[in-house]
Amino acid sequence: MSATPVPLTRELLPKLVTTLREGYGLAALRTDAIAGLTVAIVALPLAMALAIASGTTPDKGLVTAVVAGFLISALGGSRVQIGGPTGAFVVVVVGVINQHGYDGLVLATLMAGVILVAAALLRLGQWIKYIPEPVVTGFTAGIAVIIFSSQIKDLLGLSMGAVPAEFIDKWPAFWAARDTVGVAALVGLGALALILCLRRWAPRIPGFLVAVVLGSVAAFVLGLPVETIGSKFGGIPDHLPMPVMPDVTWGKLRTLLPAALTIAFLAGVESLLSAVVADGMTGRRHRPNAELLAQGVANTASALVGGLPATGAIARTVTNIRSGARSPVSGMLHAAFLLLFMLVFSGLAAFVPLAVLAAVLVVVAWNMSDAGRFLHALRTAPVSDRVLLLTTFTLTIAIDLTVAIEVGVLLAAVLFMHRMSETVAVSDSGEQPGLAKGLPTGAALYRIDGPMFFGAARKLLDVLDRTGGAPRVLILDMNAVPMLDATGADALSTLVARAAKRGAHVVMAGVQRQPLGVLRGLGLRHRKGPVIFAADIARAKAEATHLLSEGSGTSAGGSPASGAD
């Protein structure tokens, strides 16, 4: 008996509502407030750094973290998810801005939000789990390498023109400018060393914020000639922008659709991966479609205030859990604390050196790369998975993320179909002696094991060629065929037609419900001709004996096995 479907309204119900219904007191609020403040301290420099790495201004990252971060927690399907700008979007955002300008990015983000809302309403949240891990690991590691490469100029204070857009052109340009390493390198590398030391010996201290504060103070007090947020961007505004609807035309929608689909895909995958990680740490279960709905609303709202794409952030979510978060309120308070920082301390942000933010992003890139998992997969995964991993990784770096995802998913599907076709086996009664017992002379019996889909149909068509002596009755044991697609059914029809030309009958034994439904849909069940259905092998052998003794066919409707269905 199948389980009762869960109503869509329940699938889309925010975890915040569930939490409040369970009861929420001052003790829980106090714990969530501490967790929210802790995450906000981590997110403050990260949001600015990610925005700068994306080719825009630091305030865009803060606005995204505040607006989208609040909505992702308030409407999402996870109790502890933290949302905002993430490293996964850096490559996509840079590409969209370079091609279509920042207005194009805003519209693409708005479109992605609508796509995510539609995906939630269509209950596509469960489908994300079918994205192969080698594809996710490959493009994530590729993004990490690109982010790391994009920070070398600011980290070392190189005096050079614009950094080349293509990855393969970046490093020769950096090498050519190696003699221009400036004072900023001391600040950037010092901040990097401080972050790593704190992570190693004092992990509870917010290394990112400490590095930003001390790096800024050192640069200001010593009067170091380093580029800062103020000198490059003019500081950060002390308020949130008013919502503005971007200019929408059919031509822009059509042009930006690929970018919007990529943003929606990344937002969905990253947020659900983060929610799965959170489930593993908390023992809870998230609602994937509610999570997609929250991502859609959050990205739509972010676009309306001129922000960046947003999704669930694994590192910040883990920090939230380890800080004691109990409910989505912690994520909402994290956004509120960020807004407070923005309103009160925006003037001080102008003194933050870009080299320090580059150090922050170098650490983010290393965390994203998940080098341990990447190398472990290269050593232990099957060859096909290694090929998939390296292909996705290489395409992400050498071409772009969209192509890498498209090729990765397509290649994964092809490899999966190949593996599935290899699991399908067609064996005759000579290979399985138990099947030969009671088989009359003049009949041949073949057993099919595995799903019969288009990738394995060729094996079925080879059956008749393997039957020596042109048997008058061909029995197909289909008890172990759980699935039949249109191509597999067509192969069965072709086999029946070929048998008919030889004057032979085909008896199909033990056909399961799904394959039988497909065959009925093609009319094979009711056709008058040399095909009969039997409930099991015993009845199929009896039917074969009956046909051979009469020397002529009987229709399926009048055979002893006609009640098999």
Side-chain angles (χ1 to χ4, degrees), residues 69-244:
F70 182 88
L71 292 173
I72 286 172
S73 293
L75 303 178
S78 171
R79 291 175 182 259
V80 290
Q81 180 85 283
I82 298 295
T86 67
F89 284 121
V90 168
V91 178
V92 177
V93 171
V94 169
V96 175
I97 292 176
N98 289 340
Q99 277 191 290
H100 308 287
Y102 195 80
D103 290 342
L105 173 68
V106 169
L107 182 54
T109 304
L110 180 65
M111 294 168 62
V114 174
I115 292 171
L116 286 165
V117 170
L121 296 177
L122 293 173
R123 300 184 176 186
L124 298 183
Q126 291 85 351
W127 288 78
I128 299 295
K129 64 185 177 184
Y130 297 118
I131 303 299
E133 183 175 332
V135 173
V136 176
T137 302
F139 77 66
T140 303
I143 292 170
V145 172
I146 293 174
I147 292 176
F148 171 75
S149 302
S150 68
Q151 298 308 303
I152 297 300
K153 177 185 176 182
D154 288 337
L155 182 68
L156 301 180
L158 298 177
S159 297
M160 56 186 295
V163 177
E166 299 298 329
F167 174 80
I168 58 176
D169 296 329
K170 281 184 171 69
W171 287 95
F174 293 149
W175 182 252
R178 64 188 183 279
D179 295 333
T180 66
V181 173
V183 177
L186 297 176
V187 178
L189 295 176
L192 179 59
L194 178 59
I195 294 171
L196 296 178
C197 288
L198 290 176
R199 284 165 59 94
R200 174 66 177 84
W201 288 291
R204 291 186 176 275
I205 296 177
F208 288 163
L209 186 63
V210 171
V212 167
V213 171
L214 293 183
S216 303
V217 170
F220 177 77
V221 172
L222 299 176
L224 300 178
V226 296
E227 195 169 29
T228 64
I229 287 178
S231 64
K232 185 169 184 177
F233 302 107
I236 294 176
D238 58 357
H239 61 277
L240 289 177
M242 294 297 294
V244 176

Side-chain angles (χ1 to χ4, degrees), residues 409-429:
V409 172
L410 179 60
L411 181 59
V414 172
L415 291 172
F416 171 76
M417 288 184 289
H418 172 71
R419 286 195 293 264
M420 289 298 294
S421 66
E422 291 297 308
T423 65
V424 178
V426 180
S427 55
D428 60 28
S429 55

Side-chain angles (χ1 to χ4, degrees), residues 303-551:
L304 293 178
V305 294
L308 301 170
T311 185
I314 296 177
R316 276 161 275 172
T317 298
V318 170
T319 301
N320 190 38
I321 296 171
R322 290 175 176 170
S323 300
R326 297 186 181 181
S327 76
V329 174
S330 64
M332 298 162 64
L333 289 175
H334 132 270
F337 283 125
L338 281 176
L339 177 59
L340 180 64
F341 295 157
M342 187 176 177
L343 298 178
V344 177
F345 302 113
S346 59
L348 298 177
F351 298 100
V352 177
L354 298 185
V356 175
L357 294 181
V360 169
L361 285 180
V362 166
V363 177
V364 170
W366 173 255
N367 293 339
M368 279 189 65
S369 69
D370 205 351
R373 175 181 292 186
F374 189 93
L375 295 175
H376 178 74
L378 287 181
R379 289 193 304 266
T380 62
V383 174
S384 58
D385 284 350
R386 280 181 263 178
V387 170
L388 184 58
L389 174 66
L390 291 175
T391 299
T392 309
F393 175 75
T394 303
L395 289 176
T396 301
I397 294 174
I399 302 180
D400 65 50
L401 182 61
T402 304
V403 173
I405 292 174
E406 292 171 349
V407 173
V409 172
L410 179 60
L411 181 59
V414 172
L415 291 172
F416 171 76
M417 288 184 289
H418 172 71
R419 286 195 293 264
M420 289 298 294
S421 66
E422 291 297 308
T423 65
V424 178
V426 180
S427 55
D428 60 28
S429 55
E431 299 173 54
Q432 300 186 31
L435 294 177
K437 186 177 180 180
L439 185 67
T441 303
L445 190 156
Y446 284 83
R447 176 181 175 83
I448 305 173
D449 288 280
M452 186 55 59
F453 67 109
F454 64 90
R458 182 68 251 174
K459 291 185 178 181
L460 186 59
L461 294 177
D462 290 339
V463 168
L464 205 57
D465 297 331
R466 293 166 55 184
T467 56
R472 291 169 54 196
V473 178
L474 178 63
I475 300 175
L476 297 179
D477 180 4
M478 298 182 62
N479 185 60
V481 179
M483 186 277 292
L484 180 73
D485 72 355
T487 307
D490 184 68
L492 279 173
S493 298
T494 302
L495 184 143
V496 170
R498 288 184 182 180
K501 289 182 180 180
R502 296 187 181 187
H505 294 271
V506 175
V507 181
M508 299 183 189
V511 183
Q512 296 188 36
R513 179 177 298 179
Q514 191 277 340
L516 186 61
V518 175
L519 294 174
R520 280 176 168 172
L522 294 178
L524 188 58
R525 172 66 181 88
H526 300 292
R527 64 181 288 179
K528 293 183 178 181
V531 59
I532 298 172
F533 287 79
D536 51 40
I537 285 295
R539 296 190 187 186
K541 291 175 180 178
E543 184 64 46
T545 301
H546 176 72
L547 291 171
L548 291 167
S549 65
E550 284 193 352

